[in-house]
Amino acid sequence: MSGSVTVNSPSPQPSSALRMRRLRRLPRLRGLTWLVWRQNRLAFWIGIGAALAVAAYAIVRHQEMTTAIAEGHLDACRGTTVPAGDCSHKLNSFGQTYQFPMRRPLQAMLALPLVFGVFLGGPQLAQELESGTYRTVCTQSVTQLRWFAAKLLVPVVLTTLISGTIAAAMTWWWRPAGSLLGGWFPWWQWYPYDGIGPVVVGLSVLSLLIGVTAGLILRRTVLAMGATVVVSAAAMYVLESVRGHLLPTTLATVQHPTGTAAPSNAWVLSEGAADATGRRVPDLPSCYTADDYTKCLVQHGSTGRWAEFHPSSQLWPLQWAETGLCVLLAAALAGLCVWWIRHRPA
């Protein structure tokens, strides 16, 4: 009696048609979004690559700093304004090794918003308006407003992603040094302030919208790029000028005639002399040449000091307040672009 043998055939591999159907189900860019991505893909990939490189480098440097702080037992010196003795030597050595190499990258961060505005925002609309290629898109059942929305949305998303990654990396790198050095590395100076935190993203998006608006109005690529540099730099200067007034300041008075009434590492906006009741009194230049400066101040009723300042705890609230102001200005520019397109069609 012969037995039957069952042979298990290998499971069939998915056909190429099935694989194609599965690939088509994956999310992908379509229509105008795909077109804008394709037009700017080189700039986007360069930006993404640069952001990843900065992030990798910042992670390495952050780890080096935290290791040095732990091995050098520097926590005891953290946040002091005028360290003495062994702390002074240790912090000087730490600053030369880790803080000084950080200064140039933080200073270079001031140019990051200009890069987005000049090289991404300025040419975004100006190139197509100058060459007339936008007409091809707008004849394919696409309105000018829809074309503008796509040309704006994709760069804004990529600008936010790239600048946010770089800002987070720089913040991660700066934080151990800023926390340790305190008043030796003030948080409120233009660097590190303009190179860390959400304000980098806000300034980048604002500069991008300045470039887009300049391109829409001027319709010349080179002219729009030049105008973006000027207007963006002016906007950054104005924002820096009003930065100290975005949040209420703290007022403190102390009863000693010299020194400051502000705590360590505070951003002092104004200060002066005070009498025994805490009332502000004018400074006394005549006491500068006195044999006993302190005694001269007391004799003239200047027994204390007052100061208006932002404490170091307001670093991030100030950053978010300025970022919100940048977003409002960028939204106003976007509204101006919409109005311009509706009332002055190309």
Side-chain angles (χ1 to χ4, degrees):
M1 184 176 180
S2 61
S4 61
V5 178
T6 302
V7 179
N8 293 325
S9 60
S11 58
Q13 296 297 322
S15 65
S16 59
L18 180 59
R19 286 197 295 268
M20 290 298 294
R21 284 198 297 270
R22 289 178 178 176
L23 287 175
R24 278 195 288 266
R25 293 174 185 171
L26 297 176
R28 61 177 182 173
L29 300 178
R30 298 176 181 274
L32 281 176
T33 306
W34 173 86
L35 177 62
V36 175
W37 166 267
R38 184 172 178 82
Q39 289 174 333
N40 299 275
R41 65 187 183 279
L42 178 60
F44 291 155
W45 283 122
I46 291 174
I48 293 171
L52 294 177
V54 171
Y57 183 73
I59 290 172
V60 172
R61 298 296 288 175
H62 173 91
Q63 185 61 35
E64 290 177 355
M65 278 198 294
T66 54
T67 301
I69 291 171
E71 292 179 351
H73 306 289
L74 297 178
D75 281 333
C77 305
R78 185 178 299 277
T80 51
T81 304
V82 185
D86 191 42
C87 267
S88 178
H89 173 73
K90 287 182 176 180
L91 291 182
N92 269 320
S93 178
F94 177 87
Q96 292 175 2
T97 305
Y98 297 102
Q99 178 200 355
F100 289 177
M102 188 191 306
R103 290 186 174 187
R104 294 299 184 191
L106 284 173
Q107 291 169 353
M109 286 291 289
L110 192 65
L112 184 65
L114 296 178
V115 171
F116 286 107
V118 173
F119 296 103
L120 188 58
Q124 195 61 225
L125 300 182
Q127 281 184 341
E128 295 203 32
L129 290 171
E130 187 174 9
S131 63
T133 54
Y134 74 97
R135 294 190 180 91
T136 304
V137 178
C138 292
T139 55
Q140 307 298 318
S141 301
V142 175
T143 64
Q144 288 190 6
L145 280 178
R146 187 180 169 192
W147 167 75
F148 168 73
K151 294 287 286 184
L152 182 62
L153 180 62
V154 176
V156 165
V157 171
L158 269 295
T159 297
T160 303
L161 175 64
I162 294 170
S163 63
T165 302
I166 295 175
M170 295 301 296
T171 305
W172 182 249
W173 183 8
W174 163 83
R175 190 183 291 273
S179 175
L180 175 66
L181 297 175
W184 282 23
F185 194 13
W187 58 270
W188 45 266
Q189 289 184 344
W190 69 270
Y191 76 93
Y193 189 95
D194 287 319
I196 60 174
V199 74
V200 177
V201 182
L203 290 172
S204 298
V205 173
L206 175 58
S207 183
L208 176 76
L209 264 295
I210 290 173
V212 170
T213 306
L216 177 64
I217 294 174
L218 299 177
R219 302 170 65 93
R220 295 293 184 270
T221 303
V222 176
L223 190 58
M225 294 171 72
T228 302
V229 173
V230 175
V231 178
S232 294
M236 294 168 69
Y237 175 79
V238 171
L239 286 169
E240 184 177 1
S241 301
V242 304
R243 180 175 297 160
H245 307 285
L246 294 177
L247 293 177
T249 57
T250 301
L251 176 63
T253 305
V254 294
Q255 283 303 313
H256 55 73
T258 59
T260 179
S264 171
N265 202 22
W267 179 11
V268 180
L269 300 180
S270 59
E271 62 180 340
D275 60 16
T277 64
R279 185 175 58 87
R280 301 179 184 183
V281 296
D283 287 323
L284 300 168
S286 59
C287 288
Y288 294 157
T289 57
D291 294 334
D292 190 333
Y293 176 68
T294 302
K295 183 178 179 181
C296 177
L297 291 176
V298 173
Q299 287 177 344
H300 288 82
S302 179
T303 60
R305 301 288 296 176
W306 63 269
E308 289 188 26
F309 58 89
H310 290 292
S312 57
S313 59
Q314 284 195 329
L315 166 59
W316 302 120
L318 278 170
Q319 283 253 337
W320 284 111
E322 187 170 347
T323 303
L325 181 57
C326 289
V327 171
L328 287 176
L329 293 174
L333 289 175
L336 173 62
C337 290
V338 171
W339 178 89
W340 190 275
I341 290 173
R342 282 181 172 177
H343 291 79
R344 301 190 63 171

